[in-house]
Amino acid sequence: MMYFQCDYVDGAHPALLKRLVETNSHRTSGYGLDPYCENARALIRRACGNPDVDVHFLVGGTQTNMTVIASILRPHQGVLAAETGHITCHETGAIEALGHKILALPSADGTITSAQVEAYYRDHLDSGVSEHTVQPGMVYISFPTEPGTLYTKAQLKELSDTCRRCGLPLYLDGARLAYGLAAPDNDLTLPDIAELCDIFYIGGTKCGAAFGEAVVITKDSLKKDFRYAIKQHGGMLAKGRLLGIQFEALFADGLYFHLCRNAVEQALRIRQALEEKGIPPYISSHTNQQFALLTKDQLAHLEKKYYLGIWDRTVEGRPIVRFCTCWATPDEEVDELTRDIKAL
């Protein structure tokens, strides 16, 4: 069986494993206060084009989202997010378990607009009963979005300007950041994201690391006491160097920025095969995730050889299937999959 189910089926890039082995017998301080983490922070600051950002390392995406959101919101506040956002649909109510409501905004493609954010903020202020409802306290987006779409630089700037005008910190979930940056239609850079977002994270788990995410805080008022929030939410890894070493390897020579291009190229080959077969897309994505409307028979045939993700079903019951590639997806498996798609 071949895996096109998700982008974390492989272990870690060999360069990261090599560094972990090379440094295995080195003794360091714990909790991310070691030379490897410090060097990784310096490399990330340089890649962001900002020497003043704070950088913290956590283990996984849900833990990161919980920690960041809990560190920002006051008890009476909630977070604005797309109704399809990861925190809305795929984190088992983790944010609500903290006591914070997700204020879901409608979205056809996974993105939210500055107009939606401003309208919600103004409606809350002008409602006449604002103190009886949850106050919007921040905005959550992801890049790429859950269905693989991207914000343009113009869209992100407009959203950023609105958030700053309304006093709402803008947080970007970058679990698949490297895939978004590698997309052919992307016009954002890491320095752009560092300039326009108040806090974001650079995903490692889905982008070549065995595990780990790097939180980057650009807004000064959000930096204070963030390590307390990490510890309180169980995110302070005792052997923190295991995170620093991996991000050091990812950023030492730009590996992070070209590692995931393979996944995007392979996904676009799958997209082309689906198009040539006349299989309609559910949504247009140029990242490592492709969503297609298969028939039940087509899905049953492919599932004999491939692990695929069932994203959802249409009202008629037609399966919406996700084909997901990763940094390690080999040519040979995509060759075989595209042949089988064409033969459906």
Side-chain angles (χ1 to χ4, degrees), residues 111-119 139 141 151-168 170 187-188 192 195-198:
T111 66
I112 56 175
T113 68
S114 59
Q116 284 179 294
V117 169
E118 183 146 22
V139 173
I141 61 173
Y151 286 88
T152 65
K153 184 175 180 178
Q155 287 173 321
L156 188 59
K157 185 179 187 311
E158 188 175 7
L159 186 58
S160 175
D161 289 345
T162 296
C163 287
R164 287 171 181 173
R165 187 167 60 251
C166 297
L168 300 172
L170 178 59
D187 68 347
L188 278 166
D192 290 334
E195 177 186 350
L196 297 172
C197 297
D198 298 303

Side-chain angles (χ1 to χ4, degrees), residues 67-325:
T67 303
V68 168
I69 291 171
S71 75
I72 294 174
L73 295 181
R74 297 186 64 193
H76 57 281
Q77 293 180 325
V79 52
L80 288 164
E83 61 188 358
T84 55
H86 197 75
I87 60 170
T88 313
C89 302
H90 291 279
E91 292 190 346
T92 324
I95 305 307
E96 287 90 346
L98 297 171
H100 297 292
K101 187 174 183 177
I102 298 173
L103 307 170
L105 298 174
S107 174
D109 66 353
T111 66
I112 56 175
T113 68
S114 59
Q116 284 179 294
V117 169
E118 183 146 22
Y120 196 103
Y121 175 77
R122 297 297 173 194
D123 287 348
H124 173 79
L125 286 182
D126 298 340
S127 67
V129 290
S130 55
E131 70 272 17
H132 298 285
T133 60
V134 176
Q135 182 188 81
M138 65 180 293
V139 173
Y140 165 99
I141 61 173
S142 59
F143 182 86
T145 66
E146 202 69 2
T149 55
L150 301 173
Y151 286 88
T152 65
K153 184 175 180 178
Q155 287 173 321
L156 188 59
K157 185 179 187 311
E158 188 175 7
L159 186 58
S160 175
D161 289 345
T162 296
C163 287
R164 287 171 181 173
R165 187 167 60 251
C166 297
L168 300 172
L170 178 59
Y171 169 47
L172 184 146
D173 178 331
R176 294 187 171 96
L177 181 62
Y179 298 112
L181 294 174
D185 56 341
N186 169 55
D187 68 347
L188 278 166
T189 65
L190 189 59
D192 290 334
I193 290 170
E195 177 186 350
L196 297 172
C197 297
D198 298 303
I199 185 167
F200 65 96
Y201 81 86
I202 298 169
T205 302
K206 295 176 180 177
C207 303
F211 55 87
E213 327 295 340
V215 175
V216 180
I217 309 176
T218 64
K219 187 178 178 67
D220 288 341
S221 62
L222 303 181
K223 295 175 181 178
K224 187 176 184 294
D225 294 341
F226 191 75
R227 279 178 60 86
Y228 286 84
I230 296 174
K231 181 67 176 181
Q232 189 177 65
H233 291 89
M236 192 167 284
L237 187 65
K239 296 182 181 180
R241 72 180 193 187
L242 299 179
L243 296 163
I245 289 166
Q246 293 185 80
F247 277 94
E248 188 181 43
L250 284 170
F251 280 84
D253 59 0
L255 177 63
Y256 190 78
F257 296 101
H258 66 256
L259 180 62
C260 292
R261 287 177 190 157
N262 169 70
V264 173
E265 290 168 359
Q266 302 289 25
L268 294 180
R269 291 178 59 203
I270 297 169
R271 175 190 171 112
Q272 182 178 354
L274 291 165
E275 288 175 346
E276 290 175 355
K277 186 63 183 177
I279 295 173
Y282 170 67
I283 198 163
S284 181
S285 166
H286 290 90
T287 66
N288 68 313
Q289 300 182 95
Q290 298 298 315
F291 299 85
L293 293 168
L294 301 185
T295 66
K296 293 178 182 178
D297 288 344
Q298 288 171 333
L299 176 60
H301 183 73
L302 290 177
E303 284 187 322
K304 294 175 183 177
K305 288 173 63 176
Y306 306 97
Y307 286 109
L308 302 171
I310 309 301
W311 187 252
D312 203 347
R313 294 183 186 274
T314 65
V315 291
E316 298 84 14
R318 190 168 181 174
I320 301 167
V321 179
R322 182 178 74 166
F323 296 83
C324 195
T325 58

